[in-house]
């Protein structure tokens, strides 16, 4: 960097715009460039036939990285849709099957699109590209679909582009037995699939999912929170696996496309919290003392301090298959193993006691002692101090 932020970006774009290597170059402004006023709109729209697309994704305006991906995907879909409206566009590198396709919205474990594709094949349909796409040309294929499956229902910017292209969007996903049955029904109706094909798909898939759920039961009370956007789907799968799930918190917003999952969970006694804060996640852990807490890093940290087994949602739960028969048994192993560690937590708690907690926190040369009289004196002093002398932020 030379101190000329925009000029350096512009020079880099020109240097990269080699049509033999790229169809497009996407320039993303995050917090600092956006706050500094870097004017991406002044970049050329095209250089040597390579599209130049500038997108502002300020972290102070987009609460989760999952929603930031939606902003990016929506902006690229908009650009691709406008191109397709003007005339022929390039075909995607992977050949199409010739069947009507269902575009899949939201990042997924690599096995899940394959599972969904196998389900759709039973109804004469095929799985389309997963948005966000791997290649620019896949955006055209995603738009050229029979319907869109909003696997992650908070991709609202992308949904607006699909709806502007005249595509119907279906919420929820094929998770568990009931989720799969409802999803196949919704997809079938949206694509005008004949009743025998819909029923045939259910009759073939649901017994296999039942068998997987029965073979891998989960026993124990669980609280669940995260920020990936698949929290409600994981919640449904846990309930169908036999878990006593009491709370699902997601940092993502509520949308109409998440209503099927929310309604199903609430009907099974689960409290669903959108835009969940850390305080709400921790309050749920206090209100429903769980055998296992699944959550974000600070939730997991607090749970372990309380000797409660816990799992980090992003690395250990969301990075697993969830759809169809493969998803039905994917959670039981890691969840049951974590719940089974309670005795180890109890042993560690008995051994360490209150070391490092309260007045024992920090590094000491001697054995630390609590000073309640000092705390009382300080509280009394602060209560007498005028508010204006305490400063303001």
């Amino acid at each position: 960097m030379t101190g000329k932020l925009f000029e350096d970006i512009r020079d880099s774009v020109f240097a990269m715009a080699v049509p033999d290597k790229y169809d497009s170059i996407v320039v993303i402004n995050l917090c600092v460039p956006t706050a500094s006023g870097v004017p991406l709109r002044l970049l050329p729209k095209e250089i040597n036939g390579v599209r130049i697309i500038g997108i502002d994704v300020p972290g102070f305006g987009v609460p989760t990285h999952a929603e930031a991906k939606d902003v990016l995907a929506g902006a690229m879909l908009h650009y691709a849709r406008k191109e397709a409206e003007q005339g022929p566009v390039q075909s995607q590198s992977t050949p199409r099957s010739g069947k009507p396709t269902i575009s899949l919205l939201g990042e997924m474990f690599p096995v899940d699109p394959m599972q969904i594709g196998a389900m759709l094949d039973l109804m004469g349909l095929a799985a389309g590209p997963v948005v966000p796409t791997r290649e620019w040309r896949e955006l055209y294929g995603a738009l050229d679909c029979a319907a869109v499956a909003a696997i992650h229902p908070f991709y609202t910017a992308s949904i607006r582009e699909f709806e502007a292209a005249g595509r119907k969007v279906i919420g929820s996903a094929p998770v568990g037995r009931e989720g799969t049955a409802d999803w196949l029904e919704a997809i079938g109706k949206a694509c005008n699939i004949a009743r025998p094909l819909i029923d045939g798909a259910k009759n073939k898939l649901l017994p296999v999912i039942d068998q997987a759920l029965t073979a891998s039961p989960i026993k124990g009370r669980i609280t669940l929170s995260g920020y990936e956007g698949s929290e409600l789907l994981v919640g449904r799968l846990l309930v169908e696996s036999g878990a006593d799930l009491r709370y699902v918190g997601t940092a993502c917003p509520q949308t109409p496309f998440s209503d099927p999952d929310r309604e199903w969970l609430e009907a099974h006694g689960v409290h669903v919290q959108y835009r969940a804060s850390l305080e709400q996640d921790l309050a749920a852990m206090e209100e429903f003392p769980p055998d296992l807490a699944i959550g974000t890093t600070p939730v997991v940290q607090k749970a372990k301090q309380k000797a409660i087994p816990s799992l980090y949602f992003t690395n250990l739960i969301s990075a697993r298959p969830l759809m169809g028969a493969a998803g039905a048994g994917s959670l039981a192993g890691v969840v049951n193993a974590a719940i089974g560690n309670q005795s180890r937590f109890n042993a560690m708690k008995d051994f360490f006691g209150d070391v490092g907690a309260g007045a024992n926190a920090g590094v000491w040369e001697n054995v630390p002692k609590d000073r309640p009289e000092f705390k009382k004196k300080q509280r009394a002093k602060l209560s007498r101090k005028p508010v204006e002398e305490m400063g303001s932020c």
Side-chain angles (χ1 to χ4, degrees), residues 218 222-226 234 238 285 290-301 303-304 308-318 320 330-341 345:
I218 295 175
I222 297 175
T223 58
L224 167 68
S225 57
V234 172
L238 287 172
M285 192 166 60
D291 299 306
L292 175 68
I294 301 173
T296 58
T297 302
V299 171
V300 168
Q301 180 183 24
K304 290 181 176 178
I308 299 172
S310 54
L311 294 171
Y312 180 37
F313 182 88
T314 297
N315 287 359
L316 299 174
I317 300 298
S318 71
R320 294 176 180 275
S330 68
L331 298 180
V334 65
V335 168
N336 287 333
I339 292 175
N341 281 332
F345 277 91

Side-chain angles (χ1 to χ4, degrees), residues 121-201:
D121 185 63
L122 298 174
M123 298 193 296
L125 301 169
V130 177
V131 180
T133 60
R134 296 165 300 174
E135 299 179 2
W136 180 267
R137 299 176 191 186
E138 288 182 339
L139 293 167
Y140 307 129
L143 290 163
D144 184 21
C145 63
V148 180
I151 304 298
H152 288 191
F154 60 86
Y155 271 63
T156 52
S158 301
I159 287 172
R160 285 194 296 270
E161 294 304 320
F162 280 116
E163 290 180 333
R167 304 296 181 253
K168 185 173 178 60
V169 182
I170 294 92
S172 194
V175 291
R177 186 190 193 283
E178 293 185 33
T180 300
D182 293 343
W183 189 82
L184 290 172
E185 187 73 29
I187 292 290
K189 288 182 178 179
C191 298
N192 297 315
I193 302 300
R195 172 53 55 185
L197 285 177
I198 299 175
D199 292 341

Side-chain angles (χ1 to χ4, degrees), residues 213-258:
L213 291 170
T214 302
S216 304
I218 295 175
K219 301 298 180 185
R221 181 180 294 177
I222 297 175
T223 58
L224 167 68
S225 57
Y227 48 77
E228 298 296 335
S230 58
E231 290 77 26
L232 274 66
L233 299 180
V234 172
R236 291 189 65 151
L237 195 51
L238 287 172
V239 171
E240 286 209 34
S241 298
D244 178 18
L245 184 66
R246 296 299 183 90
Y247 171 85
V248 173
T250 175
C252 295
Q254 181 176 1
T255 76
F257 301 98
S258 69

Side-chain angles (χ1 to χ4, degrees), residues 67-91:
E67 288 170 90
K69 294 170 187 175
D70 171 45
V71 173
L72 295 171
M76 290 188 285
L77 280 169
H78 177 79
Y79 198 109
R81 180 172 64 83
K82 291 298 183 181
E83 286 185 321
E85 290 173 351
Q86 293 170 9
V89 293
Q90 294 170 310
S91 60

